């Protein structure tokens, strides 16, 4: 294929169908959230949607899964709208180089998380949304539904409850930040909102449609709905590029070359600005908590098409 100008997506997806069988699927399903262990680890789904509404799918692309930390991007999008640049007084935009649930930097940096995608940063974003929204859980899911005009997006209470029972590290993170004055609300309320946010479920197709606005300057090209400004779109994509995969963000940039975000449910969303959004789901995670096969498939795609942001 020629670099960049034209991508024959149909041919690409035929190749993916073959390549997927040769890519090994190693790693383990996240076990620290007991309900996630119920998922069949052999699931594999992929959906690509272009800004001119071409759609390509493969495998279990119509099955709902727990998008987990991918929803942190949507939370950031809404908090950014509400707080504008004041947001950056409470959370940074630098890669952390530490695990998604790490506590170590937080004490050195006096309760200001490195970025909005590590758990500490997402908890601060949740605190902001709890302060700003009238009915936080209801208003947030309505915002998510509005982005892709999809009323069928919901939280999964089973997953949220399961994480609540085992979310001791998140409790530690939020307590530490509260001690530094970076959490305004009651800890239980913010944690409940956070666990629900992480429990959102989507199919690969829904996820790709949900994130297409980030490939199109902040506007969903399917509905013409303006979600965020072009400047904020640039910034959200930049944070995904640098922080979307925690201490594996460099590796994802190096191998895939697109802004993206992972979740411990095995999902990944990646954005090719001005071209497409692509969602992959494969529940076995590597040691950094990112989908092993999902990353491999995305690497295959950008290598094969010679098309990335670099
Ligand atoms: N809900 C998960 C947690 O807080 C999200 C982590 C992730 O998807 N990386 O640990």
């Amino acid at each position: 294929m020629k670099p960049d100008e034209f991508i024959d997506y149909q041919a690409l997806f035929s190749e993916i169908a073959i390549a997927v069988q040769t890519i090994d699927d190693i790693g383990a399903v996240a076990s620290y959230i007991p309900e996630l262990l119920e998922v069949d680890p052999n699931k594999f789904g992929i959906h690509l949607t272009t800004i001119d509404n071409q759609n390509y799918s493969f495998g279990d692309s119509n099955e709902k899964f727990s998008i987990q930390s991918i929803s942190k991007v949507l939370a950031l999008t809404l908090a950014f709208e509400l707080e504008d640049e004041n947001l950056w007084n409470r959370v940074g935009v630098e890669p952390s180089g530490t695990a998604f649930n790490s506590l170590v930097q937080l004490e050195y940096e006096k309760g200001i998380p490195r970025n909005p995608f590590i758990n500490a940063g997402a908890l601060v974003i949740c605190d902001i949304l709890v302060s700003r929204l009238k009915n936080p859980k209801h208003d947030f899911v309505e915002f998510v539904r509005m982005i892709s005009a999809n009323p069928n997006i919901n939280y999964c209470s089973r997953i949220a409850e399961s994480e609540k029972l085992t979310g001791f590290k998140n409790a530690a993170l939020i307590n530490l930040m509260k001690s530094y004055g970076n959490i305004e609300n009651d800890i239980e309320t913010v944690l409940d909102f956070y666990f629900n946010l992480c429990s959102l479920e989507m199919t690969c197709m829904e996820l790709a449609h949900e994130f297409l606005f980030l490939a199109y300057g902040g506007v969903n090209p399917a509905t013409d709905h303006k979600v965020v400004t072009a400047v904020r779109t640039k910034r959200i994509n930049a944070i995904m590029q640098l922080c979307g995969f925690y201490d594996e963000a460099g590796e994802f940039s190096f191998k895939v070359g697109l802004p993206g975000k992972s979740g411990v449910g095995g999902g990944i969303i990646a954005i090719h600005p001005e071209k497409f959004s692509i969602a992959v789901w494969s529940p076995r995670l590597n040691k950094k908590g990112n989908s092993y096969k999902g990353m491999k498939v995305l690497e295959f795609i950008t290598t094969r098409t010679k098309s990335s942001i670099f």
Side-chain angles (χ1 to χ4, degrees), residues 32-33 68-69 72 100 119 163 170 194 198 246 262-265:
Y32 75 101
I33 302 173
Q68 290 293 319
S69 285
K72 293 172 181 172
F100 64 88
N119 287 11
E163 187 167 9
N170 287 317
Y194 172 80
C198 292
Y246 319 110
S262 64
V264 289

Side-chain angles (χ1 to χ4, degrees), residues 87-300:
L87 188 63
W88 314 118
N89 297 330
R90 294 185 57 189
V91 60
V93 295
E94 298 297 338
S96 64
T98 54
F100 64 88
N101 54 3
S102 173
L103 280 140
V104 288
Q105 253 163 6
L106 212 47
E107 188 176 13
Y108 289 124
E109 296 175 6
K110 309 238 175 313
I112 306 289
R114 277 282 171 106
N115 66 67
F117 295 157
I118 48 174
N119 287 11
L123 286 162
V124 168
I125 298 289
C126 285
D127 184 53
I128 289 168
L129 294 178
V130 166
S131 294
R132 289 291 205 132
L133 301 175
K134 255 204 190 106
N135 299 302
K137 282 194 265 187
H138 171 267
D139 296 353
F140 180 71
V141 78
E142 283 301 322
F143 171 75
V144 172
R145 289 171 180 160
M146 188 189 59
I147 289 178
S148 53
N150 180 353
N152 299 318
I153 298 172
N154 288 299
Y155 301 118
C156 172
S157 53
R158 224 171 4 89
I159 301 266
E161 286 306 315
S162 177
E163 187 167 9
K164 206 175 280 181
L165 295 174
T166 56
F168 306 116
K169 276 217 168 168
N170 287 317
L173 287 165
I174 195 168
N175 274 284
L176 191 53
M177 290 190 291
K178 182 111 183 154
S179 78
Y180 285 108
N182 199 15
I183 295 291
E184 289 171 357
N185 296 284
D186 164 61
I187 281 173
E188 291 311 314
T189 309
V190 180
L191 278 178
D192 177 68
F193 180 65
Y194 172 80
F195 293 139
N196 273 278
L197 176 125
C198 292
S199 81
L200 277 181
E201 293 187 316
M202 293 187 207
T203 67
C204 287
M205 185 170 75
E206 289 173 330
L207 191 57
H209 287 152
E210 178 75 15
F211 277 78
L212 195 57
F213 73 98
L214 290 174
Y216 200 60
V219 176
N220 180 346
T223 59
D224 272 343
H225 172 65
K226 184 171 174 181
V227 183
V228 275
T229 62
V231 173
R232 286 187 187 151
T233 304
K234 173 185 75 177
R235 295 192 167 166
I236 295 165
N237 280 333
I239 302 172
M240 282 208 283
Q241 189 74 46
L242 293 169
C243 315
F245 290 72
Y246 319 110
D247 47 342
E248 203 172 32
E251 185 89 359
F252 189 78
S253 280
F254 184 67
K255 293 194 165 153
V256 179
L258 297 176
K261 182 76 202 80
S262 64
V264 289
I268 297 178
I269 184 76
I271 310 295
H272 198 321
E274 314 303 328
K275 282 197 169 61
F276 60 75
S277 59
I278 185 165
V280 192
W281 174 44
S282 176
R284 286 197 177 91
L285 309 179
N286 65 21
K287 293 217 164 64
K288 309 280 186 176
N290 301 316
S291 171
Y292 178 88
K293 195 169 180 173
M295 278 180 66
K296 290 268 180 213
V297 171
L298 290 170
E299 181 184 1
F300 172 85

